[in-house]
Amino acid sequence: MNADAKKKAAALAALEYVEDGMTVGVGTGTTVNHFIAALKDRRNRIAGAVSSSEASSRLLREAGVEVRSLNDTGDLALYVDGADESTRHLALIKGGGGALTREKIVAAASRRFVCIVDESKVVDVLGRFPLPVEVIPMARSLVARKLAAMGGRPVLRQGFKTDNGNEILDVHNLRITDPAALEAEIGLLVGVVEVGLFARRGADVLLVAGDSGVQALKR
Ligand code: 5RP
């Protein structure tokens, strides 16, 4: 099975968590795109979706799924999203697609976070994937210096603006042995909007697709 087929298998396995009448939190990325495509067949059985990005909102509407505002829905029963890396303890790096802030908001509002990945994303220690940090543009250099002082090598994501109008620093060379502590430390830097570490509110279920099928890891 190639990587995309594994992503699709993980996405289809997440359908098991979708119940009739739900408003589903929907993440961003190529794995979630398979989930959105599969939601098309359920569009008349769910109340709609809260989306974590303009890109996913567009795809949801094309699939006939109503996109709702989190301010109207209140808390959600379910959030389905991918990740760039996950530990077996379900701490994540996210934000490869640049949607980390809205993703973290939807995750925080959801009672169950089901994360869908292919097996290549599961790691012992987070940090091989550069850690995305969304910054207010005027604070880019200030935050970059602080991240460098922490031992990282921040690189500006060229030509990219988030849906919130901000910039992303991708931080290389981090070996993240305490994800919750680093999430808090970076989150406190002035000028940082969000950091793509999801450890304090990690996934509840990790659906990992490999050659032999989809395995569910639970927190
Ligand atoms: C977007 C994300 C994605 O979940 C992450 O980048 C994984 O993407 P893909 O499913 O395309 O591998 O965090 O901000």
Side-chain angles (χ1 to χ4, degrees):
M1 225 193 286
N2 66 28
D4 193 57
K6 288 176 190 165
K7 288 180 179 196
K8 185 172 180 181
L12 295 182
L15 286 175
E16 192 186 313
Y17 295 84
V18 178
E19 292 173 13
D20 289 356
M22 267 184 173
T23 297
V24 184
V26 175
T28 301
T30 54
T31 314
V32 163
N33 290 350
H34 289 297
F35 179 71
I36 295 173
L39 272 187
K40 188 173 180 179
D41 290 340
R42 303 252 186 139
R43 63 188 179 279
N44 297 322
R45 288 168 51 187
I46 59 173
V50 169
S51 168
S52 69
S53 66
E54 300 301 328
S56 289
S57 296
R58 234 180 350 263
L59 291 175
L60 284 160
R61 289 194 185 100
E62 281 168 19
V65 176
E66 184 188 343
V67 177
R68 306 182 65 197
S69 160
L70 185 62
N71 289 317
D72 297 334
T73 60
D75 285 352
L76 304 174
L78 176 67
Y79 177 46
V80 176
D81 198 359
D84 299 299
E85 280 185 352
S86 177
T87 66
R88 287 175 183 79
H89 301 292
L90 279 49
L92 314 171
I93 286 183
K94 291 185 44 54
L100 60 151
T101 299
R102 295 188 188 190
E103 291 172 343
K104 202 173 265 196
I105 292 168
V106 183
S110 300
R111 288 190 288 283
R112 182 186 258 166
F113 176 4
V114 174
C115 185
I116 49 179
V117 294
D118 69 84
E119 61 193 351
S120 70
K121 307 275 187 75
V122 180
V123 298
D124 291 329
V125 179
L126 297 173
R128 194 182 55 204
F129 190 93
L131 177 65
V133 179
E134 180 166 350
V135 295
I136 300 286
M138 76 168 285
R140 176 183 66 227
S141 299
L142 170 70
V143 173
R145 288 195 295 278
K146 304 274 183 194
L147 292 168
M150 290 177 186
R153 186 172 61 82
V155 175
L156 177 66
R157 199 176 291 185
Q158 292 292 336
F160 185 85
K161 284 261 187 225
T162 70
D163 285 345
N164 312 308
N166 297 315
E167 294 176 340
I168 299 267
L169 293 169
D170 291 305
V171 190
H172 298 247
N173 289 353
L174 292 173
R175 191 171 185 278
I176 305 170
T177 50
D178 189 344
L182 191 65
E183 180 179 3
E185 192 182 354
I186 295 177
L188 283 174
L189 295 176
V190 174
V192 166
V193 179
E194 258 314 333
V195 52
L197 274 169
F198 287 57
R200 297 158 79 82
R201 201 283 179 256
D204 300 303
V205 179
L206 184 71
L207 297 176
V208 185
D211 283 321
S212 49
V214 179
Q215 190 192 358
L217 304 183
K218 295 189 178 152
R219 192 178 270 275

